[in-house]
């Protein structure tokens, strides 16, 4: 009978470890996903480039930043309908609140005057506003290796 008790204890221990593993993997999956409303720092300020720019062009203020494609990969996979981003600007970081903007039809085909059905990987397109500024307009297009965007706020310079 003593051997049976040890065997049951081993089974309980294995079952407990299995449950802990499942719970932890579920928690990791949740923390590794985009969460609506949580702003994503998609960009990192490139201080070396800013310094070089300022030393060459003395009176122009610029904000130079790099794009983090790993966050874009999450966006590309999860395809969130709502997205908050942090955009560096001369005036400080801007949080933008975005919704998906379907600019291409489902049957979109890229063609030229010489060829139909050119290879094209569509990006993710969003529109919205600067958080707390109802009069602002934001449009951002995200692709694998580049971002295009415009932020317009009444009475302030545009951010491109």
């Amino acid at each position: 009978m003593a051997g049976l008790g040890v065997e049951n204890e081993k089974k309980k221990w294995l079952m407990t470890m299995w449950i802990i593993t499942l719970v932890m993997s579920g928690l990791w999956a949740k923390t590794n996903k985009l969460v609506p409303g949580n702003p994503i720092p998609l960009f990192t300020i490139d201080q070396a480039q800013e310094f070089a720019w300022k030393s060459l062009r003395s009176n122009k203020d610029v904000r130079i930043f790099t794009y983090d494609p790993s966050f874009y990969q999450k966006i590309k996979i999860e395809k969130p309908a709502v997205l908050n981003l942090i955009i560096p600007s001369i005036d400080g970081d801007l949080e933008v609140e975005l919704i998906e903007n379907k600019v291409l039809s489902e049957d979109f085909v890229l063609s030229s005057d010489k060829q139909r059905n050119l290879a094209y990987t569509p990006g993710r397109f969003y529109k919205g506003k600067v958080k707390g500024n109802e009069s602002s307009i934001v449009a951002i297009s995200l692709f694998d290796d580049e971002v295009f965007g415009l932020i317009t706020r009444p009475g302030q310079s545009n951010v491109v």
Side-chain angles (χ1 to χ4, degrees):
M1 285 293 189
L4 189 57
V6 171
E7 193 62 35
N8 282 339
E9 288 301 314
K10 284 182 183 178
K11 286 181 182 178
K12 283 182 187 176
W13 184 85
L14 285 173
M15 185 64 95
T16 303
M17 299 308 336
W18 183 70
I19 291 171
I20 289 171
T21 302
L22 288 176
V23 170
M24 293 306 290
S25 65
L27 289 175
W28 179 85
K30 287 180 184 174
T31 59
N32 199 29
K33 290 196 177 271
L34 302 174
V35 178
N38 284 358
I40 298 169
L42 194 61
F43 306 99
T44 304
I45 295 171
D46 189 333
Q47 293 177 338
Q49 287 288 341
E50 281 187 6
F51 180 75
W53 175 274
K54 289 175 184 174
S55 66
L56 292 172
R57 296 157 187 90
S58 61
N59 63 349
K60 296 287 181 186
D61 283 333
V62 297
R63 189 96 273 194
I64 299 175
F65 44 90
T66 58
Y67 174 47
D68 184 346
S70 67
F71 274 115
Y72 175 66
Q73 291 308 312
K74 288 180 185 180
I75 293 168
K76 194 171 159 181
I77 291 166
E78 295 181 30
K79 300 178 179 167
V82 176
L83 186 64
N84 288 34
L85 296 176
I86 299 294
I87 310 288
S89 81
I90 294 168
D91 305 325
D93 288 347
L94 299 173
E95 183 176 342
V96 296
E97 299 171 325
L98 305 168
I99 60 171
E100 185 176 22
N101 189 15
K102 300 232 183 217
V103 297
L104 303 175
S105 67
E106 294 297 324
D107 59 348
F108 172 78
V109 174
L110 181 63
S111 299
S112 72
D113 60 341
K114 295 181 175 88
Q115 184 181 349
R116 184 160 170 73
N117 290 334
L118 293 168
Y120 173 72
T121 303
R124 302 288 302 157
F125 307 97
Y126 291 90
K127 64 182 179 180
K129 65 181 178 78
V130 174
K131 185 175 184 176
N133 187 337
E134 298 299 320
S135 301
S136 61
I137 299 172
V138 178
I140 295 181
S141 301
L142 306 166
F143 298 91
D144 285 326
D145 56 357
E146 59 190 344
V147 176
F148 300 99
L150 175 67
I151 301 173
T152 300
R153 300 166 291 165
Q156 298 178 327
S157 59
N158 292 336
V159 177
V160 180

